[in-house]
Amino acid sequence: MADALLQPDRGQPARTITLLAPDAFEPWLARQPQRVRTALVAQRFTGAAGGHAIYAEDDVQAVVVASRTDSWTLARLAEALPTGTYRVDGAIGPAALGWLLGQYRFDRYRTGETAGPRILLTHDVAAIDETVRLAAATGWVRDLVNTGAGDLGPAELEDAAERLARDHGATVTVTRGDALASGFPLIHAVGQAAVKERAPRLIELVWGDPAHPRVALVGKGVVFDTGGLDIKPSAGMRLMKKDMGGAAHALALARLVMAARLPVRLHLLIPAVENAIAGNAFRPGDVLRSRLGPTVENTNTDAEGRLILADALARAGEDSPELILDFATLTGAARVALGPDLPPLFTDDAALAADLLAAGVAQDDPLWQLPLWDGYDEMLSSDIADMVNAPDGGFAGAITAALFLRRFVPKGIAWAHMDVFAWRPSAKPGRPKGGDAYALRACYAALKQRYGTR
């Protein structure tokens, strides 16, 4: 649908949106007829930055005052305006994305009619396709995360990867059953208690010229997390349909990379499991062997995401990629530290960190770097195995989780870990409450900057 909401401006009939800087509002207002000034006063519109007003002059029009034009400048209007076609009096720039995302609706489970479209006309025709792709990828993350776990299990993640592969000429390989148990024992251990229809698996998609730089994208695919035998309370389980948010991000980023035909050899890996409870569930105190070889004393079955990512990261490293990016709804500690809006970024590569942070600012999609503090690595020590998956005490929980993952990434490979929330707890313009993408546009922009296009 996003492609229909942003169209080239060929002079077709449209209502006008006037976009003003704060210091331009008063001069603009002085030039308006009395009926316009009266309409704005009635709405108590003072021209403060971030505000908007809707008024009628022959037809519905609007004025927006913004201190700068960013991705969300027009997002609220895209939700508030009547159905119709609009054009902006001036340059749209990044605000076109917010116009599209402001009209996102998750209606899979709703009955009845949906709101009509608000179409935006733009003279920046060259930017339309890319803006639409970004909006569609973000919408896909939201759709996947918003879908109930009963309708989205490991098989449905596999289907999503298969559809993506067909669209872009990629190949998909899936490891399950005995091959998973022997080759990816951590993934198997976490997912083995699920019913057979929701059996664990490792989904791999490969695309692109083998001669191009290899880039691996890894996404945590826990389709529902009970916490395992260390069971979550009901309040903690309420949103655990979103625990596959990392997989949704990795799928969406792969889609963007392939649609742009970036000159890379792409390797997408999604360990897909349900952390269920049954007689054969993995237990606290179990010692688990990893694909890479080191053993892990399982000190908490609710720290399962890092286990499945460990095997997936080890597999990604076997093909010596130039870069690995992983996405995971990994720790509550990340939310305590930075809240829902800022995903922590972990990497030892200073150049990669600089690229991702700069891209986050440029794309209105910020990240915040937290340290891979070597001094905390000793917290992962075990008395009986090579490491534990969850240190006692809870100190620096997001950092120790990232340090655990680092042990499974070969030295010399640029790697970044994003601890994303994948959920918007309250609505903002262009960002409705529910599933959402974080760091997606930043990572895509950094990849384009690094690898360019053909």
Side-chain angles (χ1 to χ4, degrees), residues 1-10 12-19 62 64 69-71 73-75 77-78 81-101 103 117-125 128 131-132:
M1 178 184 175
D3 56 346
L5 301 178
L6 188 62
Q7 299 180 13
D9 191 341
R10 300 187 176 95
Q12 56 268 58
R15 298 157 174 172
T16 299
I17 299 171
T18 301
L19 183 59
V64 179
T69 303
D70 64 13
S71 297
T73 300
L74 299 179
L77 267 187
L81 285 170
T83 298
T85 301
Y86 298 85
R87 65 165 50 88
V88 172
D89 183 10
I92 299 174
L97 178 65
W99 180 272
L100 301 182
L101 294 179
Q103 297 183 68
R118 293 93 167 172
I119 297 167
L120 186 64
L121 305 180
T122 176
H123 289 291
D124 191 3
V125 177
I128 291 178
T131 304
V132 168

Side-chain angles (χ1 to χ4, degrees), residues 3-381:
D3 56 346
L5 301 178
L6 188 62
Q7 299 180 13
D9 191 341
R10 300 187 176 95
Q12 56 268 58
R15 298 157 174 172
T16 299
I17 299 171
T18 301
L19 183 59
L20 299 171
D23 59 0
F25 174 70
E26 290 296 340
W28 173 86
L29 186 63
R31 298 193 300 269
Q32 303 310 304
Q34 182 62 45
R35 62 182 178 276
V36 173
R37 296 198 297 270
T38 300
L40 299 187
V41 169
Q43 296 177 57
R44 298 181 180 177
F45 184 65
T46 63
H52 76 269
I54 301 170
Y55 63 96
E57 183 181 352
D58 300 326
D59 201 349
V60 173
Q61 299 193 32
V63 58
V64 179
V65 177
S67 55
R68 72 182 185 96
T69 303
D70 64 13
S71 297
W72 314 114
T73 300
L74 299 179
R76 192 182 300 278
L77 267 187
E79 303 169 14
L81 285 170
T83 298
T85 301
Y86 298 85
R87 65 165 50 88
V88 172
D89 183 10
I92 299 174
L97 178 65
W99 180 272
L100 301 182
L101 294 179
Q103 297 183 68
Y104 169 84
R105 299 292 183 272
F106 181 68
D107 55 12
R108 174 171 179 167
Y109 302 115
R110 292 186 180 275
T111 58
E113 296 183 0
T114 58
R118 293 93 167 172
I119 297 167
L120 186 64
L121 305 180
T122 176
H123 289 291
D124 191 3
V125 177
I128 291 178
D129 286 348
E130 181 80 331
T131 304
V132 168
R133 284 196 294 264
L134 286 169
T138 302
W140 195 25
V141 173
R142 292 173 176 180
D143 284 349
L144 288 168
V145 174
N146 284 329
T147 299
D151 294 317
L152 197 151
E156 285 72 28
L157 283 180
E158 181 181 333
D159 289 344
E162 291 280 7
R163 291 195 305 272
L164 188 62
R166 288 194 296 269
D167 288 344
H168 296 281
T171 59
V172 172
T173 303
V174 181
T175 306
R176 55 168 65 85
D178 292 342
L180 187 76
S182 59
F184 300 92
L186 293 178
I187 299 174
H188 171 76
V190 172
Q192 66 188 2
V195 296
K196 66 178 182 179
E197 292 82 9
R198 298 169 72 85
R201 65 206 69 192
L202 177 67
I203 306 160
E204 298 181 72
L205 177 151
V206 176
W207 171 88
D209 188 336
H212 288 154
R214 192 176 187 94
V215 173
L217 307 178
V218 182
K220 174 187 169 184
V222 178
V223 297
F224 192 78
D225 182 18
T226 65
L229 293 176
D230 290 310
I231 191 169
K232 294 177 182 288
S234 59
M237 216 182 295
R238 172 66 178 85
L239 289 181
M240 283 302 99
K241 67 177 184 179
K242 79 174 185 66
D243 215 18
M244 39 58 64
H249 281 71
L251 282 164
L253 183 55
R255 173 176 170 171
L256 288 168
V257 166
M258 292 188 289
R261 299 193 63 77
L262 293 188
V264 298
R265 178 67 165 173
L266 181 68
H267 187 191
L268 169 69
L269 303 98
I270 297 175
V273 304
E274 180 168 17
N275 189 14
I277 297 173
N280 61 336
F282 75 126
R283 295 165 291 271
D286 284 354
V287 175
L288 310 171
R289 186 168 297 277
S290 67
R291 177 179 179 84
L292 193 63
T295 56
V296 181
E297 180 187 1
N298 177 42
T299 49
N300 189 341
T301 63
D302 197 21
E304 83 297 332
R306 66 200 71 182
L307 295 175
I308 66 172
L309 286 171
D311 271 359
L313 288 168
R315 170 67 189 95
E318 290 166 7
D319 292 324
S320 300
E322 182 179 289
L323 173 65
I324 300 175
L325 301 178
D326 83 69
F327 302 84
T329 52
L330 203 62
T331 67
R335 309 287 75 80
V336 172
L338 297 179
D341 288 352
L342 280 176
L345 162 68
F346 294 93
T347 180
D348 281 329
D349 189 303
L352 178 59
D355 288 348
L356 289 169
L357 293 171
V361 172
Q363 298 299 316
D364 301 314
D365 192 22
L367 302 100
W368 196 271
Q369 187 174 11
L370 292 183
L372 285 162
W373 185 252
D374 291 331
Y376 293 157
D377 202 61
E378 64 184 17
M379 294 184 184
L380 296 171
S381 299

